[in-house]
Amino acid sequence: MTESLTDTAPTPAVAASNVLSVDAMGGDQGPAIVIAGLSVFMSSAPDAHAIVHGPKAELKPLLSKNKIADRVTIHDASDVVKMTDKPSNALRQGKKTSMWSAIEAVRDGKAAVCISCGNTGALMAMSMLRLRKAEGVNRPAIACLWPSRNPSGFNVMLDAGADIRADQDDLLTYALMGASYARNGLDLKRPRVGLLNVGTEEHKGRAELKVAHELIGSAAKKGEFEYVGFIEGGDLPSDKVDVIVTDGFTGNVALKTGEGTATLISELLRASLMKTPLSMFAALLARGSLKRLRKRIDPRRVNGGVFLGLNQTVIKSHGSADATGVAAALQLAYQLAQSGFSDKLAARVASAASLAQDAIQEGGTDNPDTNTGSSV
């Protein structure tokens, strides 16, 4: 039987960009699901390695059972952050938890990205404390992938719930971070950015939205994205935009509504097709098409909210995620790690303050003399 590594360093001779730091204890269903998801992910990523954090005695047999012990390092962490824990309590009492340990591995350069299914508030608080906010970021944001009609199949939306507030400067920063995420996560050279509002007319919306509309539009050329202006809720899954910018309250409500609607449609469709012998026969004939539809609207495929605005990358997986969902979050983390996303994002958001100032001074016109580069 292959032994799991239990030292405090990544697997020998493995670059940190190939190593993911995984909080094995944060999910609602326990570490077995997290390790199963890690196994699914590793089967499609032969060069990937991981550091898993949690009680060694509990994790070691799970790694052996899933036959990935030779590619995984265990960091023994005795405590767990519960879903009911307040972020302030988790900060004060969390140094021995698996979540804290997972963040520390990224902070120390032993892994490229931290992934946790745990308490969102605690994860954000710990990440901000240990990894710090990137220069130019007032409020970090959570970016999620939204199924869409675009060729990539997804749009990026932020903030999905990191902070319920956002002023015009925050929204400009979100636009820059979202564009950088779309470039590196969806391979889009010039992402299209839209600002979520109650209508597309320029006179609609709160005061900060109107100011943000001007700032984002003025920053588009230097930020190397296309600004499509205000968009509405119906545009979230459309092909007219790649990045949707909003505050955390609106974004989180939209996200949970979308996930609930997708689940409801799937359940109603299944119940309808199973109602009569004739509908069951029709379902059998259309089995291939129905399978593709189910996969397209499956929320598990887009599991993984990326914390943007920190000095390193952290991804929050749903607490209720199954092995498929965990694997999707890990795949996203690995893709971002391979692209050097943290450094590129830091370079992009560092320019947010100057872009905002330029936009104010220029009164909504672009200055072509300054360019931040297309690689971030």
Side-chain angles (χ1 to χ4, degrees), residues 221-222 358 362 366-372:
K221 188 170 184 178
K222 295 178 184 178
D358 288 346
E362 294 164 15
D366 287 324
N367 179 356
D369 297 333
T370 304
N371 194 309
T372 55

Side-chain angles (χ1 to χ4, degrees), residues 24-331:
M25 307 305 294
D28 295 339
Q29 304 181 64
I33 293 298
V34 176
I35 300 303
L38 181 60
S39 177
V40 172
F41 157 70
M42 284 187 159
S43 67
S44 62
D47 295 329
H49 292 256
I51 306 171
V52 296
H53 305 261
K56 174 184 173 183
E58 195 169 350
L59 296 180
K60 190 173 180 179
L62 291 174
L63 294 174
S64 298
K65 177 182 177 182
N66 285 274
K67 300 179 180 179
I68 54 173
D70 58 331
R71 298 170 62 188
V72 177
T73 300
I74 298 175
H75 278 199
D76 194 17
S78 57
D79 296 343
V80 177
V81 177
K82 299 182 179 67
M83 289 295 187
T84 55
D85 289 346
K86 294 182 178 179
S88 57
N89 292 337
L91 283 180
R92 288 195 299 268
Q93 305 169 12
K95 290 187 178 181
K96 294 183 178 180
T97 64
S98 57
M99 182 181 289
W100 185 287
S101 180
I103 294 169
E104 284 294 295
V106 174
R107 182 177 185 268
D108 294 340
K110 298 169 183 173
V113 181
C114 169
I115 305 95
S116 176
C117 300
N119 182 315
T120 303
L123 183 63
M124 178 59 82
M126 286 186 183
S127 298
M128 289 178 64
L129 177 67
R130 303 307 295 157
L131 304 179
R132 302 294 182 183
K133 292 183 292 185
E135 181 185 355
V137 175
N138 180 36
R139 293 188 177 97
I142 300 176
C144 66
L145 294 177
W146 194 288
S148 77
R149 299 184 185 90
N150 278 321
S152 67
F154 303 106
N155 290 333
V156 176
M157 185 184 76
L158 73 164
D159 176 23
D163 197 318
I164 62 172
R165 301 163 296 171
D167 62 20
Q168 58 268 19
D169 295 328
D170 296 325
L171 293 171
L172 170 61
T173 304
Y174 294 171
L176 293 167
M177 294 194 298
S180 184
Y181 179 27
R183 261 187 291 270
N184 292 279
L186 300 179
D187 196 27
L188 300 175
K189 185 176 182 181
R190 192 175 182 86
R192 297 163 300 165
V193 176
L195 182 59
L196 189 61
N197 199 358
V198 294
T200 59
E201 299 87 350
E202 293 193 3
H203 67 274
K204 288 190 174 181
R206 301 189 305 271
E208 62 268 25
L209 284 177
K210 296 176 183 178
V211 178
H213 174 67
E214 297 295 329
L215 292 176
I216 296 171
S218 297
K221 188 170 184 178
K222 295 178 184 178
E224 298 195 347
F225 60 84
E226 178 184 343
Y227 182 53
V228 302
F230 288 134
I231 60 169
E232 299 178 280
D235 296 320
L236 293 177
S238 75
D239 59 1
K240 67 183 292 185
V241 67
D242 302 303
V243 178
I244 300 128
V245 175
T246 187
D247 62 86
F249 182 90
T250 306
N252 190 262
V253 171
L255 175 63
K256 299 297 174 60
T257 302
E259 291 174 346
T261 302
T263 301
L264 176 63
I265 291 173
S266 181
E267 292 173 353
L268 292 177
L269 182 60
R270 179 179 177 82
S272 179
L273 292 173
M274 295 295 106
K275 193 168 184 178
T276 67
L278 185 59
S279 64
M280 292 174 66
F281 179 69
L284 183 64
L285 293 178
R287 182 170 54 182
S289 297
L290 291 172
K291 187 176 181 179
R292 288 190 292 273
L293 173 62
R294 183 178 179 183
K295 182 178 180 181
R296 185 71 184 270
I297 65 173
D298 189 350
R300 298 178 302 173
R301 296 177 57 241
V302 292
N303 179 43
V306 184
F307 288 5
L308 299 180
L310 302 171
N311 284 314
Q312 280 90 20
T313 305
V314 176
I315 291 182
K316 169 63 173 70
S317 167
H318 282 306
S320 59
D322 60 9
T324 300
V326 172
L330 291 166
Q331 180 60 49

